[in-house]
Amino acid sequence: MKSDVFYTNLRTGFNNSLLDKLNRLMTKAGISNIDFEDKYVAIKMHFGEPGNLAFLRPNWAKCVADKVKELGGKPFLTDCNTLYVGGRKNALDHMLTAEQNGFNYVSTGCQIIIGDGLKGSDDIEIPVEGGKYIETAKIGRAIMDADIFISLSHFKGHEGTGFGGALKNIGMGCGSRRGKMEMHVSGKPNVDKDECIGCGMCTKICAHGAPLLKDKKCTIDHEKCVGCGRCIAICPKDAIHEGTSHSNEILNCRMMEYAKGVLSGRPCFHISIAVDISPNCDCHGENDMPIIPNIGLFASFDPVALDQACADAANKMPVNPNSMLSEANKCHHDHFDDIHPDTSWKQGLEYAQSIGLGSREYNLIEVK
């Protein structure tokens, strides 16, 4: 069956802001059909890494939180800690990063709770029915304690999964630190020493001390490596490669099974905002210029249909000149395959559909 995906463009007029349009979009998509009265509501989003300016502004979060409160719910913003070195590895740094990027009670209308606790170890194991790779997903406890789950996602490119949308925000984002390790474990990389220049950037980004420099060449200690892929993304010479030819496909499958664990057994609603569509994840401490023009706002009860609709809309857009995508010597039939050729977002959505997360077939309903 086709799922309904609701969409509104970014055109505005007097007394009709983008926040007004998001409010109408949520209403038209049926968010009020959920019983929010006195329910705890997790709004899962990404607060951005220090130095990144592509993450969603706090104004978007406040619009969603205000809607939840209007409907009687008790919202909080949440995310889980990261594997890699950066501004969100523990709850204290994570909350400081969120504040530095503009997220606080005044700007968002609700509190921030880091889902997997101070050190990323406060999680709960959730059985994944029908999972081929994951028996129990390790999800941040605060996220699973919520009665209702809302994903608020920034749609953009991603170096491991092609793009990051609703399902990545849910599956990877809600995994605790050990959950993220479990999802990444098949992707342990290797180094092409002919290409390595010994710059040491990989050693600085790794949280586990896996990259080792000797005689100005890097090797990866697979005993220490958790396969998070940060070294692959940061290498200026593309000298670090995935450890197996199917590691990104396995990552996709595990991530979808984690998403199933997060969403099972409670009301859920999903919003994706396709603006500032950078080539890589907001986990980077920088953001390259957008690869395509801004698109609009999307909402659905079906995260698979939502991701498919966003990807289809993105692939209809022209390539921004002087962007990373414009430098790819490709035909541009699929922007995300072009910019990250070792990924397969279609395979990820096919697997998500196969395990009952939703449908890739959808009806796109425009909201004025």
Side-chain angles (χ1 to χ4, degrees):
M1 293 179 62
K2 292 184 177 181
S3 297
D4 290 338
V5 176
F6 293 79
Y7 159 79
T8 190
N9 63 33
L10 300 173
R11 297 299 304 275
T12 62
F14 295 112
N15 300 316
N16 181 33
S17 73
L18 287 175
L19 299 178
D20 294 328
K21 296 192 80 172
L22 176 56
N23 199 335
R24 286 201 301 278
L25 180 74
M26 291 187 288
T27 300
K28 293 290 187 181
I31 191 171
S32 58
N33 293 332
I34 299 173
D35 177 11
F36 284 94
E37 193 65 34
D38 292 327
K39 303 293 198 308
Y40 293 104
V41 183
I43 302 174
K44 169 62 181 75
M45 67 178 303
H46 194 304
F47 301 118
E49 194 69 19
N52 188 295
L53 296 177
F55 61 88
L56 295 181
R57 296 177 182 177
N59 312 63
W60 298 114
K62 187 175 190 302
C63 184
V64 179
D66 285 350
K67 189 69 173 178
V68 169
K69 289 190 290 186
E70 174 190 320
L71 295 170
K74 300 177 179 179
F76 64 95
L77 302 182
T78 191
D79 196 3
C80 286
N81 293 305
T82 62
L83 278 177
Y84 56 82
V85 174
R88 299 179 303 120
K89 187 182 175 183
N90 61 74
L92 296 182
D93 290 344
H94 204 153
M95 293 176 74
L96 179 60
T97 293
E99 288 187 22
Q100 289 174 337
N101 284 341
F103 294 89
N104 55 58
Y105 186 83
V106 174
S107 66
T108 67
C110 64
Q111 302 287 357
I112 294 171
I113 300 175
I114 302 306
D116 57 346
L118 179 62
K119 298 180 180 180
S121 58
D122 187 15
D123 58 18
I124 183 169
E125 297 195 21
I126 304 298
V128 179
E129 184 178 350
K132 296 180 181 178
Y133 298 89
I134 304 298
E135 291 186 7
T136 59
K138 289 75 177 173
I139 308 298
R141 183 176 297 274
I143 292 172
M144 294 311 301
D145 280 347
D147 304 301
I148 298 167
F149 180 87
I150 295 177
S151 62
L152 175 60
S153 309
H154 174 215
F155 184 80
K156 70 283 182 188
H158 191 276
E159 59 275 15
T161 56
F163 67 74
L167 286 165
K168 186 176 187 303
N169 183 41
I170 300 164
M172 185 60 67
C174 292
S176 66
R177 295 193 75 238
R178 67 173 179 145
K180 289 180 173 68
M181 288 183 185
E182 184 175 43
M183 282 181 271
H184 281 106
V185 72
S186 65
K188 296 185 179 183
N190 295 305
V191 181
D192 183 341
K193 292 190 177 182
D194 291 336
E195 297 294 327
C196 177
I197 60 173
C199 66
M201 293 181 70
C202 54
T203 64
K204 295 176 183 177
I205 200 69
C206 182
H208 308 281
L212 305 173
L213 281 180
K214 184 177 181 180
D215 299 327
K216 295 186 177 180
K217 295 292 181 181
C218 175
T219 57
I220 305 294
D221 184 343
H222 284 186
E223 292 298 316
K224 296 179 178 178
C225 176
V226 300
C228 71
R230 291 291 287 167
C231 59
I232 296 172
I234 205 169
C235 180
K237 294 297 182 181
D238 294 326
I240 306 178
H241 305 283
E242 293 288 355
T244 70
S245 60
H246 301 294
S247 58
N248 278 337
E249 286 87 345
I250 296 172
L251 170 64
N252 271 335
C253 294
R254 288 175 172 164
M255 187 173 72
M256 299 310 172
E257 291 184 7
Y258 261 70
K260 185 172 183 180
V262 173
L263 300 178
S264 295
R266 57 179 168 175
C268 302
F269 186 78
H270 312 287
I271 303 160
S272 284
I273 298 181
V275 300
D276 298 323
I277 303 168
S278 50
N280 295 314
C281 183
D282 294 342
C283 292
H284 284 249
E286 81 292 324
N287 59 284
D288 207 350
M289 70 173 289
I291 57 176
I292 57 176
N294 290 344
I295 302 172
L297 318 177
F298 298 78
S300 180
F301 285 100
D302 183 338
V304 180
L306 183 61
D307 274 357
Q308 184 71 58
C310 288
D312 290 344
N315 281 323
K316 293 176 183 177
M317 301 298 287
V319 176
N320 279 344
N322 303 315
S323 69
M324 188 185 295
L325 182 58
S326 73
E327 297 171 356
N329 186 22
K330 302 289 184 177
C331 60
H332 299 312
H333 294 312
D334 189 309
H335 297 325
F336 303 108
D337 284 353
D338 288 351
I339 201 166
H340 297 302
D342 294 329
T343 65
S344 179
W345 65 266
K346 298 184 188 72
Q347 174 263 337
L349 293 192
E350 287 169 1
Y351 187 74
Q353 180 175 259
S354 74
I355 62 173
L357 272 172
S359 171
R360 295 183 67 190
E361 299 293 323
Y362 61 92
N363 300 306
L364 190 64
I365 301 168
E366 185 168 6
V367 178
K368 300 296 185 181

